[in-house]
């Protein structure tokens, strides 16, 4: 039985991911098991996941995924390279995933592989430094350096966010010596961060409609809408950073300037500018606006702010997760778990209480994620639902049966 892996941020509940799951089974066979390595409580854009990870895992299972694993916060709330690094390593470590599938705007593997090979060359790094010294943003400099070594059409792929992330998946597979076969799927529906109307609306459009109290139900599959409605009625959604903005501001104002250095991913002195912004602003939006420049886009600043609040820097170059945390499974997923117990190269955590049987380093990593969850739940709309130590109290979502074939 083939097992295909998908690395997802926070939105496995919308139609685009459901289409990917169906396309995987069309290409690889109806019995293909689908494993999603999904962001936990915090996401790559530098924000709180709008819905708790177990509810999102349940959505993924009802949308056709068989097994859901968690990508811990040092990778999920990180830049694309680290996000891909952690996700690819986790899926490889299962020992059972044969293909790594990802959606991308170009829908073809060849140009993405050309870019990935280019980014690891000395000539590319020389060009990147030159363009950045001329004042270009990192993204523009990277695209310019790739264009110089390939051609305009290939380099232009980097201007699309899912293409750029797909390139990082390919680089991670090569660096880690993974045997997973990359599988590029054409991205369907609205563009990333687009607000345009579409049969497959973007996650940003869904999030905006939800937070504004709009008609979000029609934008989701029926099962996902039911789960989201249930969580909202319980006071556990929608989750947003603004719900605990005073706590975030308090944490940032207590930090000394040098304490911000670990969260300056590029080690370019951004932390000086960020510290000055913290001490000249009265809101999170003002901090981001004051620190933003052409060189430092908002996404990077949001991640820095979030990581500083959590006290968890993004994963270091080459660093990979120490365990595989199961968030949910159906019948086919549980069969796959049985195979993983023998084939996985990392401990597989199904029952949180069993963490105490593992090595001290793994316990510390899990405790760090548990502390992140304790901060996440404080952003629930109903503070009465924000129980501490919930990471150790709640097990995975287990559904009966497997999704329909095809």
């Amino acid at each position: 039985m083939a097992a295909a892996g998908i690395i997802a941020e926070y939105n496995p509940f919308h139609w685009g991911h459901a289409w990917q799951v169906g396309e995987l089974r069309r290409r690889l066979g109806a019995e293909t098991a689908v494993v999603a390595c999904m962001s936990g409580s915090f996401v790559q854009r530098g924000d709180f996941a709008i819905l708790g990870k177990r509810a999102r895992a349940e959505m993924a299972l009802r949308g056709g995924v068989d097994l859901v694993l968690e990508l811990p916060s040092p990778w999920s709330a990180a830049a694309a390279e680290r996000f891909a690094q952690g996700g690819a390593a986790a899926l490889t470590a299962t020992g059972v995933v044969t293909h790594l599938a990802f959606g991308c705007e170009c829908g073809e593997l060849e140009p993405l592989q050309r870019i990935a090979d280019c980014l690891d060359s000395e000539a590319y790094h020389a060009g990147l430094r030159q363009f950045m010294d001329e004042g270009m943003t990192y993204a523009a400099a990277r695209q310019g350096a790739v264009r110089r070594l390939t051609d305009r059409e290939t380099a232009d792929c980097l201007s699309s966010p899912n293409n750029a992330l797909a390139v990082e998946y390919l680089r991670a597979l090569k660096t880690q010596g993974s045997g997973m076969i990359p599988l590029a799927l054409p991205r369907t529906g609205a563009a990333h961060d687009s607000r345009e109307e579409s049969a497959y609306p973007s996650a940003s459009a869904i999030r905006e409609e939800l937070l504004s109290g709009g008609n979000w139900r029609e934008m989701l599959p029926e099962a996902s809408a039911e789960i989201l409605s249930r969580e909202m009625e319980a006071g556990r959604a929608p989750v947003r950073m603004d719900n605990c903005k005073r706590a975030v501001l308090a944490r940032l104002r207590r930090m000394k300037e040098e304490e911000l250095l670990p969260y300056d991913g590029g080690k370019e002195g951004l932390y000086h500018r960020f510290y000055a912004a913290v001490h000249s602003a009265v809101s999170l939006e003002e901090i981001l606006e004051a620190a933003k420049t052409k060189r430092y886009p908002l996404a990077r600043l949001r991640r820095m702010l979030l990581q500083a609040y959590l006290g968890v820097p993004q994963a270091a170059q080459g660093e990979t997760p120490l365990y595989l945390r199961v968030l949910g499974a159906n019948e086919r997923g549980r069969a796959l778990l049985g195979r993983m117990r023998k084939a996985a190269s990392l401990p597989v955590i199904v029952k949180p209480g069993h963490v105490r049987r593992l090595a001290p380093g793994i316990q510390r990593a899990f405790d760090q994620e548990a502390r992140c969850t304790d901060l996440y739940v404080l952003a629930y709309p109903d503070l009465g639902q924000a129980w501490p130590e919930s990471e150790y109290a709640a097990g995975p979502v287990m559904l009966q049966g497997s999704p329909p074939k095809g």
Side-chain angles (χ1 to χ4, degrees), residues 85-326:
Q85 180 178 295
L91 290 173
T92 299
T94 65
V96 297
V97 176
T98 56
H99 294 72
L100 173 59
F102 44 82
C104 52
E105 288 84 358
C106 72
E108 299 178 30
L109 193 60
E110 192 275 334
L112 301 175
Q113 189 64 66
R114 289 184 66 196
I115 295 173
D117 294 339
C118 177
L119 294 183
D120 291 322
S121 69
E122 285 297 325
Y124 161 76
H125 289 289
L128 179 69
R129 287 191 295 271
Q130 177 188 333
F131 286 126
M132 291 192 70
D133 288 344
E134 294 174 1
M136 285 188 178
T137 65
Y138 174 77
R142 180 176 63 166
Q143 195 166 336
V146 170
R147 184 183 301 119
R148 176 182 289 179
L149 297 174
T150 57
D151 55 71
R152 178 175 294 276
E153 184 178 0
T154 299
D156 284 351
C157 286
L158 282 173
S159 62
S160 300
N162 289 283
N163 285 343
L165 184 56
V167 167
E168 297 302 336
Y169 293 147
L170 295 176
R171 295 179 72 198
L173 291 179
K174 179 180 178 181
T175 301
Q176 296 168 11
S178 174
M180 289 191 297
I181 301 168
L183 185 59
L185 303 176
R187 194 179 187 280
T188 58
H192 180 80
D193 277 346
S194 170
R195 269 58 173 180
E196 67 182 82
E197 293 187 8
S198 170
Y200 297 118
S202 72
S204 297
I206 297 172
R207 181 175 61 249
E208 186 174 279
E209 197 74 8
L210 175 60
L211 295 179
S212 66
N215 190 15
W216 51 268
R217 287 180 175 273
E218 293 185 0
M219 305 173 77
L220 296 177
E222 182 178 355
S224 296
E226 291 175 359
I227 294 168
L228 179 53
S229 180
R230 178 194 72 199
E231 294 299 300
M232 292 175 69
E233 290 175 4
R236 296 188 293 265
V239 179
R240 63 186 92 185
M241 185 183 292
D242 200 53
N243 289 354
C244 55
K245 60 186 175 184
R246 292 177 185 268
V248 178
L249 288 167
R251 158 69 175 165
L252 295 176
R253 289 188 179 185
R254 287 199 311 270
M255 297 180 73
K256 298 178 181 178
E257 186 171 10
E258 61 270 21
E259 291 177 322
L260 287 168
L261 178 59
Y263 311 103
D264 183 352
K267 300 296 186 290
E268 301 168 340
L270 171 58
Y271 74 100
H272 297 302
R273 186 177 183 87
F274 193 86
Y275 179 81
V278 167
H279 290 273
S280 64
V282 296
S283 71
L284 302 181
E285 293 78 14
E286 288 181 8
I287 290 173
L288 295 172
E289 190 61 34
K292 183 184 68 173
T293 67
K294 183 178 179 181
R295 189 179 182 95
Y296 304 126
L298 277 176
R300 178 174 173 182
L301 292 167
R302 282 197 302 263
R303 286 192 293 268
M304 185 175 182
L305 186 151
L306 175 62
Q307 292 160 8
Y309 171 59
L310 298 176
V312 178
Q314 74 171 6
Q317 176 69 43
E319 187 180 6
T320 55
L322 298 180
Y323 59 85
L324 300 175
R325 174 70 186 282
V326 178

